[in-house]
Amino acid sequence: YDNSVKAVRGSFFHITRVVTDPAEIEANTQFVEDGLLIIRNGCIDWFGEWRDGRDLVPPTVRVRDYRGKLIVPGFVDTHLHYPQSEMVGAYGEQLLEWLNHHTFPTERRYNDLEYAREMSTFFIKQLLRNGTTTALVFGSVHPQSVDALFEAASRINMRLIAGKVMMDRNAPDYLLDTAESSYRHSKALIERWHGNGRLLYAVTPRFAPTSTPAQLEVASALRQEYPTTYLQTHLSENKDEIAWVKSLYPDHKGYLDVYNSFGLTGPNCVFAHCIHLEEAEWDCLQQTGSTIAFCPTSNLYLGSGLFQMDKAWSRQIQVGMGTDIGAGTTFNMLQTLNEAYKVAQLQGLRLSAFHSFYLATLGGARSLGLDDRIGSFAVGKEADFVVLDPVATPMQQLRYDNSTALRDKLFVLLTLGDDRTIYRTYVDGQLVHERG
Ligand code: GUN
Ligand code: ZN
């Protein structure tokens, strides 16, 4: 009996290749009504029509039959904070007050390794029950918070990217590191975790206001020493935040120029929000090949503003979706796309179902430089996927029965879908979530 081989039957949908123009997405979609996925050692060994592949399944392997469901690549969440899970839905404030009143006191708890371990388990379960199989995650300032998270992810060999927050000013003393300690602790975490199984490290200065120039210098040094690591931070989320950056860094041309002048832009540099950018900043993101994490539920919840998707599209800047827990209000990517559609509507833009699924899967993977590993059912890729139940609720059943074209079925799925829609989640070829 070959335990390393698995076979999955059902309807499959994915986007087969990376595109530069959203208009090209539809021509690169593939729907296989009665399909088969064969997995060997956690990677995709064969994918296609059931009738073409059924004889390739070894007779000892039981086929997992998901006919009637829709199987898609696992979702990619390009921005969220694991030490904010317990403060989702904090009432009544915008970014800077929200940070001081809710976020910092909550993140303080992650000094306690046992607490961080409990919450890491909770956090990863939440990702899986929402179909998210890869995420780019902020820890707290405490290096042990990131140890706890990576330990939990490594137990299921999940492809997770995370980093210890660097912040050495403008926050309560109990949450500050120094340029020197942030270097030392980040370096130790990189040595321990970056490239350990499927785990990767992200150098994580919180945002320009909470780092001195000396600390941004250190962030840059770390990325030069370890060029395959990521860089994640926040950019132009809130108008008061931007004014504050300009007062703290008066010699710079603007907010992004702070990061750029320290060499903190480029491929695998992920900037969350990017709502109030100036033209020169859009140009800089484009020229450096940097990535944006679009976090609609957060941007609406904190009243930050509307992300201008058309600006990113016209410049072919990489965009991924982020839930931004805990300013965002859901771990669920379908609900996040539902809100993204509304953010587009408010600007007279249209976000199609195909484009939405692209952003949540292969496009998200591309925005993290992982499109050769995850995001579609191409042979050789890692077997991370989700089995969706398109009729998990009476309302979904009604709407599903009243739609015919695939694009409509997909669109209704992300408008009405939530964690009940996530029937099964597979990571590394293993079943890791079953809807209860
Ligand atoms: N800017 C700096 N820190 C944060 C954070 O934790 N959440 C959000 N949404 N924005 C930030
Ligand atoms: Zn954030």
Side-chain angles (χ1 to χ4, degrees), residues 116-271:
R117 284 190 170 138
E118 276 170 38
M119 291 308 297
S120 293
T121 302
F122 177 88
F123 176 82
I124 289 188
K125 277 194 186 151
Q126 284 301 305
L127 292 178
L128 301 175
R129 69 177 283 119
N130 285 288
T132 296
T133 54
T134 287
L136 174 58
V137 187
F138 276 57
S140 69
V141 71
H142 317 97
Q144 61 271 33
S145 74
V146 178
D147 279 320
L149 183 65
F150 277 144
E151 281 165 16
S154 72
R155 267 179 235 130
I156 55 167
N157 200 24
M158 186 175 188
R159 190 166 272 296
L160 192 92
I161 316 169
K164 172 207 119 61
V165 159
M166 306 166 75
M167 49 195 296
D168 66 347
R169 65 167 168 174
N170 291 321
D173 284 346
Y174 60 74
L175 225 50
L176 294 182
D177 56 13
T178 66
E180 184 280 322
S181 73
S182 69
Y183 176 81
R184 187 160 36 83
H185 289 144
S186 301
K187 185 178 170 76
L189 288 166
I190 292 168
E191 294 281 351
R192 196 171 312 140
W193 296 109
H194 184 62
N196 180 342
R198 298 169 76 197
L199 303 173
L200 295 163
Y201 194 81
V203 175
T204 309
R206 176 168 220 121
F207 65 156
T210 49
S211 285
T212 59
Q215 187 167 58
L216 295 181
E217 201 78 68
V218 153
S220 181
L222 284 166
R223 288 208 69 241
Q224 276 163 32
E225 245 177 283
Y226 301 98
T228 57
T229 57
Y230 290 74
L231 183 287
Q232 60 176 345
T233 191
H234 298 92
L235 174 63
S236 288
E237 177 177 8
N238 171 286
K239 289 186 174 158
D240 292 340
E241 170 208 17
I242 295 165
W244 194 22
V245 171
K246 287 182 174 167
S247 74
L248 290 167
Y249 287 94
D251 300 334
H252 290 262
K253 280 179 276 180
Y255 195 161
L256 180 54
D257 185 55
V258 175
Y259 298 132
N260 191 46
S261 67
F262 285 96
L264 300 174
T265 48
N268 294 342
C269 294
V270 181
F271 296 94

Side-chain angles (χ1 to χ4, degrees), residues 260-327:
N260 191 46
S261 67
F262 285 96
L264 300 174
T265 48
N268 294 342
C269 294
V270 181
F271 296 94
H273 309 306
C274 300
I275 293 171
H276 308 284
L277 296 180
E278 295 166 16
E279 284 304 305
E281 296 179 308
W282 285 108
D283 293 343
C284 177
L285 289 176
Q286 177 180 24
Q287 283 153 17
T288 57
S290 303
T291 289
I292 297 171
F294 169 30
C295 309
T297 75
S298 167
N299 298 162
L300 296 172
Y301 189 74
L302 289 182
S304 304
L306 303 178
F307 176 64
Q308 298 167 280
M309 272 172 278
D310 52 337
K311 298 262 196 189
W313 296 342
S314 64
R315 289 176 168 78
Q316 303 186 347
I317 297 169
Q318 302 295 338
V319 176
M321 298 306 302
T323 60
D324 195 25
I325 290 290

Side-chain angles (χ1 to χ4, degrees), residues 31 36 48 53 71 75-76 78 95 105 110 128 146 173 186 207-208 258 273 278 316 358 364 369-370 411 414 418 428:
F31 176 70
L36 172 68
I71 306 170
F75 300 137
V76 179
T78 62
L95 176 65
Y110 288 75
L128 301 175
V146 178
D173 284 346
S186 301
F207 65 156
V258 175
H273 309 306
E278 295 166 16
Q316 303 186 347
Y358 179 73
L370 292 172
F411 189 70
L414 64 85
D418 55 32
D428 194 36

